[in-house]
């Protein structure tokens, strides 16, 4: 039996994940769903944001649906989501941004770069070591190449090799692998790429880059489709997989039933495709499109429908299509 761990996390995670879970339960009542409580709130209550026992529970699942966790800028606090990505070795972070006339897949290296965790902090100086390894680069560029081959076959490598020697290694390994793989590819400095992707989104397909560049690029690229409420992601490793919206816990809107649950719904769709149900994933997407087409929208898209009510509309659309399909 397929077992799905459900992590709401903090903030709007408690609002958007229940919407996505209901849709999964409708499409797959035969799966087992079990909650795992981690995050900043848990740390405030117990002093521990994520115990080893929680990690073991997550590892026991076939896939994880994750909301968002608050990660405060505190010297001694370790982000729960970063810990999970690291210990489950979820090295490929796939962040699709799809709109009219373009279909971009940002492939973010998810375990090293500026997120190495190797840091020294004193009162007057703080350093973070940016680590790029051959092994880490080879596995991310190979994932990106595989995706490019399944899609339109075009790959863009984003880096800052003009300044960072660590990115000279990243770029050179990526270019060599791309050349050998026979895909069409180019490379760009990440700052120029960040503007060009907004101006000419149709010229991009798969964009592979290092950890923090992929983080920033995915938030900014979400502008093309209406913002963070819409972009899902997959964190994939060789053994485990976690699916989550690109957005965070959004404390500015949390608890008001106004968050857009589409990113969470699409993350559930990516989870289903990973579990072998691509048709189910497509059904979620077409239900979202149908609901938007009749003008049902959350506040970020100019509408006034609440998070839960949007979820109900998607559920009714799915049920209606179920009847039609019979
Ligand atoms: P955020 O993504 O939470 O919010 C940025 C802006 O986008 C806010 O104005 C928010 O209201 C809006 N927004 C986000 N999701 C939305 C949605 N579904 N519908 C409508 N509007 C939405 O980023 P932030 O404010 O910089 O960070 C808040 C907290 O979340 C921080 O503690 C941060 O570290 C954390 N965070 C966690 C994750 C994660 O768990 N994967 C990801 C990003 C940020
Ligand atoms: C994301 C977030 C995380 C990241 C933070 C919360 C640690 O911004 O998932 O995009 O930087 O990866
Ligand atoms: Mn981010």
């Amino acid at each position: 039996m397929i077992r799905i761990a459900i992590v709401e996390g903090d903030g709007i995670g408690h609002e958007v994940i229940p919407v996505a879970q209901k849709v999964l339960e409708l499409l797959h009542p035969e799966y087992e769903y079990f909650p795992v409580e981690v995050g900043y709130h848990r740390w405030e209550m117990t002093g521990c944001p994520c115990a080893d026992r929680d990690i073991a529970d997550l590892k026991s699942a076939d896939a994880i649906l994750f909301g968002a966790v608050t990660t405060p800028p505190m010297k001694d606090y370790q982000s729960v989501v970063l810990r999970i990505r690291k210990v489950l070795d979820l090295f490929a972070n796939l962040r699709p941004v799809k709109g009219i006339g373009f279909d971009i897949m940002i492939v973010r290296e998810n375990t090293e770069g500026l997120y190495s965790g190797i840091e020294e902090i004193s009162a007057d100086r703080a350093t973070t070591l940016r680590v790029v390894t051959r092994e880490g680069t080879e596995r991310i560029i190979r994932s990106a190449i595989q995706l490019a081959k399944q899609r339109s076959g075009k790959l863009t490598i984003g880096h800052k090799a003009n300044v960072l020697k660590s990115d000279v290694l990243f770029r050179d390994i990526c270019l060599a692998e791309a050349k050998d793989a026979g895909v069409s590819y180019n490379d760009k400095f990440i700052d120029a790429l960040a503007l060009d992707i907004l101006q000419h989104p149709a010229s991009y397909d798969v964009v592979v880059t290092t950890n923090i560049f992929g983080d920033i690029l995915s938030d900014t690229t979400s502008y093309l489709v209406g913002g963070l409420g819409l972009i899902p992601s997959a964190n994939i490793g060789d053994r485990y997989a976690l699916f989550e919206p690109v957005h965070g816990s959004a404390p500015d809107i949390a608890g008001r039933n106004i968050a857009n649950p589409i990113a969470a719904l699409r993350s559930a769709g990516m989870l289903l495709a990973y579990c072998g149900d691509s048709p189910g994933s497509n059904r979620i997407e077409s239900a979202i499109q149908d609901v938007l087409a009749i003008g049902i929208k959350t506040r970020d898209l100019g509408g006034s429908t609440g998070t839960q009510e949007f979820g109900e509309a998607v559920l009714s659309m799915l049920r209606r299509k179920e009847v039609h399909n019979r």
Side-chain angles (χ1 to χ4, degrees):
M1 191 214 287
I2 291 187
R3 299 178 68 246
I4 309 292
I6 304 282
V7 182
E8 292 183 2
D10 296 306
I12 61 167
H14 294 299
E15 298 165 62
V16 297
I17 290 301
V19 168
Q21 183 176 351
K22 278 189 199 130
V23 164
L24 286 178
E25 285 169 345
L26 176 75
L27 297 179
H28 286 283
E30 78 286 10
Y31 287 4
E32 182 190 329
Y33 302 88
F34 65 96
V36 179
E37 278 173 38
V38 296
Y40 182 64
H41 179 69
R42 161 105 183 261
W43 178 82
E44 287 179 315
M45 293 293 140
T46 66
C48 170
C50 174
D52 291 346
R53 170 80 234 199
D54 303 314
I55 297 285
D57 285 349
L58 294 174
K59 284 184 172 175
S60 78
D62 293 285
I64 304 160
L65 180 66
F66 191 96
V69 286
T70 298
T71 297
M74 283 162 38
K75 273 193 282 189
D76 52 355
Y77 186 86
Q78 189 194 17
S79 165
V80 169
V81 69
L82 292 190
R83 175 167 174 220
I84 295 170
R85 287 176 190 158
K86 207 151 234 177
V87 297
L88 272 58
D89 201 23
L90 305 172
F91 64 87
N93 189 191
L94 314 181
R95 300 185 153 189
V97 185
K98 198 170 170 175
I100 298 161
F102 60 89
D103 184 356
I104 301 164
M105 178 66 86
I106 296 170
V107 178
R108 167 190 184 191
E109 200 293 318
N110 219 15
T111 54
E112 50 183 42
L114 260 186
Y115 286 59
S116 68
I118 305 170
E119 306 193 287
E120 271 177 28
I121 303 162
S122 68
D124 302 315
R125 194 179 130 98
T127 56
T128 299
L129 198 66
R130 188 174 195 271
V131 178
V132 172
T133 67
R134 174 170 294 279
E135 190 193 357
T137 307
E138 280 178 355
R139 64 184 186 171
I140 198 64
I141 184 64
R142 286 174 188 165
S143 300
I145 287 169
Q146 199 184 342
L147 274 167
K149 284 183 171 170
Q150 289 160 10
R151 295 162 52 97
S152 76
K154 184 158 186 289
L155 176 69
T156 302
I157 301 153
H159 60 77
K160 190 82 182 172
N162 47 346
V163 177
L164 304 170
K165 300 301 173 230
S166 47
D167 260 8
V168 174
L169 183 69
F170 182 81
R171 180 201 59 179
D172 288 354
I173 294 171
C174 288
L175 287 175
E177 292 276 334
K179 188 162 170 251
D180 286 351
V183 288
S184 137
Y185 64 93
N186 65 350
D187 72 301
K188 266 188 195 299
F189 296 128
I190 194 71
D191 46 355
L193 193 165
L195 174 61
D196 193 55
I197 203 167
L198 297 183
Q199 291 178 322
H200 308 106
S203 17
Y204 291 84
D205 177 21
V206 176
V207 180
V208 64
T209 190
T210 51
N211 208 332
I212 200 151
F213 294 159
D215 178 37
I216 298 167
L217 193 66
S218 50
D219 270 36
T220 52
T221 309
S222 80
Y223 178 72
L224 290 168
V225 290
L228 280 171
L230 297 162
I231 312 297
S233 83
N235 297 261
I236 311 271
D238 289 331
R239 294 180 61 191
Y240 307 105
L242 179 152
F243 301 83
E244 59 173 344
V246 165
H247 66 69
S249 58
D252 55 339
I253 58 165
R256 293 164 59 194
N257 192 41
I258 56 174
N260 190 339
I262 293 179
L265 286 162
R266 287 182 168 153
S267 301
M270 292 181 91
L271 179 148
L272 282 190
Y274 173 82
C275 291
D277 181 18
S278 294
S281 178
N282 295 337
R283 284 175 64 196
I284 296 178
E285 183 57 34
S286 56
I288 292 169
Q289 294 300 340
D290 291 347
V291 167
L292 292 175
I294 54 174
I296 297 179
K297 290 178 183 158
T298 46
R299 207 183 61 156
D300 54 320
L301 298 182
S304 58
T305 305
T307 311
Q308 281 185 37
E309 292 71 22
F310 189 91
E312 290 305 324
V314 170
L315 284 169
S316 334
M317 197 60 82
L318 282 165
R319 286 194 200 103
R320 202 176 310 166
K321 289 198 168 179
E322 179 82 356
V323 173
H324 274 278
N325 285 344
R326 274 188 201 141

